[in-house]
């Protein structure tokens, strides 16, 4: 098990008295969002991850999946014994309910759920919920305090609104890919869901803002999130640079157009380290360490842009010094000099790193299908109302009967809905 967090709150996950993984069933939630109900109607990946973030801090999250077409994340990426591992992370802290929203019976159940729900997160193409009679007009009629978060590739209106949208497209259209990669190489896409993850964080923030407005003003509202916009925001002042200077940032590889030295460097034992010198004082420490103190007195050294114009010279000095030393020696020397350096990790290094261990960044979670699984812990630590992982992603539809019984549906009614294909 991982170490407790500095706040004294142990990482999530526990074992039963006989040493077996504790049953992960829907346990009572605690945390600052306890008492909120969230319906996760979304798939792959931004919307569901936003719901996960809310569930980590106590919201009751009900994952609604099609009875015959489960969330694609269950089959995305590597699996063990036929069980998708990505789902174990994305589905944590969620009850799972099967419901065909296009079926009249499924629509009626969804409206009954919405009446007692605080947040619905969906990522269907614009007009899909309306086609099923589940648009904002119908949902807000049964619950005026509802917050409906709509996460799509291009937003709810505009010429691209009805196009299929994925994070990869946002990474391309935001300008991210254009500035990523080597100067003489092609635009480069990230090998993971970067736009989805950034949009998930944005969605969780937007939902909390809408809930705050509801709690002061009494009514819910629609949150309209387009994948292309959070990516555009995190790229920083690119629009300003172009607007005021006509400047378009080129691809610079691992270098920065604003500071130097800043790059990846290979050590004598074949490892890689990264050096960053955003502050002039740090850049000076690095150059003293590598035996080139004379450059500190050069007129160009005093600004990041000036150092960036001399990146070849600075990189050569730093790279040659690092190339003659093993990684451990490099890291120790930089730490002693109070210069910024980090090893380039793969996931094996992350799991072994003492800082991640001290923070409890990776935690063990009991799971009814796989025993115990390791995954990222909750995203941040709160000293008084911490979040927790109560269970990993549950089997498809595992909580359907329980959720419907909580709405007052009897066994016969549930069986009838299931027989009609609504569940």
């Amino acid at each position: 098990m991982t170490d407790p967090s500095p706040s004294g709150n142990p990482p999530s996950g526990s074992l039963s008295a006989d040493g077996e993984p504790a049953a992960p069933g829907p346990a009572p939630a605690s945390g600052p969002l306890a008492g909120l109900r969230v319906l996760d109607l979304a798939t792959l990946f931004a919307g569901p991850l936003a719901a996960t973030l809310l569930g980590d801090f106590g919201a009751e999250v009900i994952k609604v999946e099609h009875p015959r077409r489960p969330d694609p994340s269950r089959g995305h990426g590597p699996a063990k014994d036929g069980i998708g591992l990505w789902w174990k992370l994305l589905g944590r802290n969620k009850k799972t309910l099967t419901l065909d929203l296009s079926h009249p019976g499924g629509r009626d159940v969804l409206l009954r759920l919405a009446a007692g729900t605080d947040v619905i997160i969906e990522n269907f193409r614009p007009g899909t919920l309306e086609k099923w009679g589940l648009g904002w007009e119908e949902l807000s009629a049964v619950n005026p305090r509802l917050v409906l978060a709509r996460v799509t590739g291009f937003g709810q209106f505009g010429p691209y609104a009805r196009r299929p949208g994925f994070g990869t497209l946002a990474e391309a259209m935001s300008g991210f890919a254009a500035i990523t990669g080597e100067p003489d190489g092609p635009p480069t896409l990230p090998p993971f869901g970067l736009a989805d993850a950034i949009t998930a964080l944005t969605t969780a923030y937007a939902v909390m803002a809408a809930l705050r407005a509801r709690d002061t003003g009494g009514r819910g509202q629609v949150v309209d999130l387009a994948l292309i916009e959070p990516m555009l925001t995190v790229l920083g002042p690119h629009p300003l640079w172009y607007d005021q200077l006509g400047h378009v940032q080129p691809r610079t590889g691992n270098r920065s157009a604003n500071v130097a030295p800043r790059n990846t460097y290979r050590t004598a034992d074949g490892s890689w380290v990264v050096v960053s010198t955003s502050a002039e004082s740090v850049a000076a420490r690095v150059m003293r360490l590598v035996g080139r103190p004379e450059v500190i007195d050069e007129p160009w050294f005093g600004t990041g842009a000036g150092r960036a114009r001399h990146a070849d010279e600075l990189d050569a000095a730093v790279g040659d010094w690092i190339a003659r030393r093993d990684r451990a020696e490099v890291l120790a020397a930089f730490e002693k000099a109070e210069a910024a350096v980090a090893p380039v990790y793969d996931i094996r290094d992350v799991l072994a790193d003492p800082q991640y261990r001290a923070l409890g960044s990776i935690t063990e979670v009991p799971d009814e299908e796989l025993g115990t699984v390791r995954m990222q812990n909750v995203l941040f630590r709160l000293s008084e109302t911490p979040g927790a992982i109560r269970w990993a992603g549950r089997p498809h539809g595992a909580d359907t009967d329980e959720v419907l019984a909580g709405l007052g549906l009897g066994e016969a009614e549930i069986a009838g809905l299931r027989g009609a294909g609504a569940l």
Side-chain angles (χ1 to χ4, degrees), residues 114-115 117-118 136-148 214 217-222:
T117 289
D118 298 281
W136 176 240
E137 183 177 341
E138 291 85 359
L139 292 170
S140 61
V142 300
N143 184 357
R145 291 174 56 79
L146 179 70
V147 171
L148 175 63
R214 182 198 71 176
R219 290 191 62 83
Q221 60 185 297
V222 176

Side-chain angles (χ1 to χ4, degrees), residues 81-102:
D81 300 330
I83 300 167
L85 299 179
W86 203 325
W87 167 251
K88 289 298 176 184
L89 174 67
L90 195 62
R92 73 188 192 191
N93 291 336
K94 298 180 183 180
K95 300 176 182 178
T96 58
L97 165 71
T98 57
L99 208 58
D100 183 349
L101 301 182
S102 67

Side-chain angles (χ1 to χ4, degrees), residues 226-282:
L227 283 166
I228 56 175
E229 291 181 306
M231 279 298 299
L232 181 62
T233 295
V234 300
L235 289 180
H238 287 211
L240 273 167
W241 287 344
Y242 182 74
D243 175 63
Q244 296 296 305
L245 302 172
H247 174 71
V248 178
Q249 180 171 321
R251 289 190 291 283
T252 57
N254 291 319
R255 286 181 173 177
S256 169
N258 305 308
V259 296
R262 188 261 199 185
N263 214 326
T264 58
Y265 306 92
R266 194 165 192 174
T267 63
D269 56 354
S271 299
W272 291 88
V273 298
V274 166
V275 173
S276 178
T277 57
S278 296
E280 180 188 354
S281 59
V282 176

Side-chain angles (χ1 to χ4, degrees), residues 192-227:
F192 67 102
L194 176 61
D196 284 296
I198 292 173
T199 301
L201 293 165
T202 308
T203 301
Y205 166 63
V207 163
M208 297 309 300
L211 288 172
R212 171 63 175 168
R214 182 198 71 176
D215 291 344
T216 56
R219 290 191 62 83
Q221 60 185 297
V222 176
V223 174
D224 178 8
L225 253 163
L227 283 166

Side-chain angles (χ1 to χ4, degrees), residues 322-345:
I322 288 175
R324 298 193 300 271
R325 292 161 175 83
D326 289 349
R327 186 175 83 171
E329 183 182 353
V330 171
L331 296 178
F334 267 75
E335 183 172 357
K336 184 177 180 180
E338 297 184 351
V341 69
V344 176
Y345 277 175

